[in-house]
Amino acid sequence: MEKKRISLPQIKRQKDLPLVLNKKEVRELLKAPKYLKHRLMLGMLYGCGLRSYDPEASGM
């Protein structure tokens, strides 16, 4: 079985602190999409605090 195992490179983790937006920047971000559907999706993602890499959400 060891011969069939695939070794993948480890993903490097971000070590700096995340960027925090102020209220004005958040409003501009949420108003940017043209369609309501896209505004709602963006608002849900921002409101839930989802990030592109979240070790707690992925189970790592």
Side-chain angles (χ1 to χ4, degrees):
M1 288 303 251
E2 287 294 323
K3 293 179 181 179
K4 293 182 180 182
R5 183 178 293 178
I6 299 173
S7 84
L8 299 174
Q10 189 167 357
I11 298 172
K12 295 180 182 178
R13 295 185 183 196
Q14 184 178 5
K15 294 184 180 183
D16 54 339
L17 295 174
L19 177 69
V20 179
L21 303 176
N22 62 31
K23 287 183 182 183
K24 182 181 177 186
E25 292 170 331
V26 172
R27 281 191 204 112
E28 290 175 9
L29 177 71
L30 296 176
K31 288 182 182 180
K34 181 179 178 181
Y35 299 108
L36 177 62
K37 176 174 67 173
H38 298 158
R39 287 184 185 180
L40 291 172
M41 285 190 291
L42 190 59
M44 288 290 290
L45 290 172
Y46 185 79
C48 293
L50 299 178
R51 298 181 291 277
S52 61
Y53 177 75
D54 191 356
E56 294 166 6
S58 65
M60 295 181 114

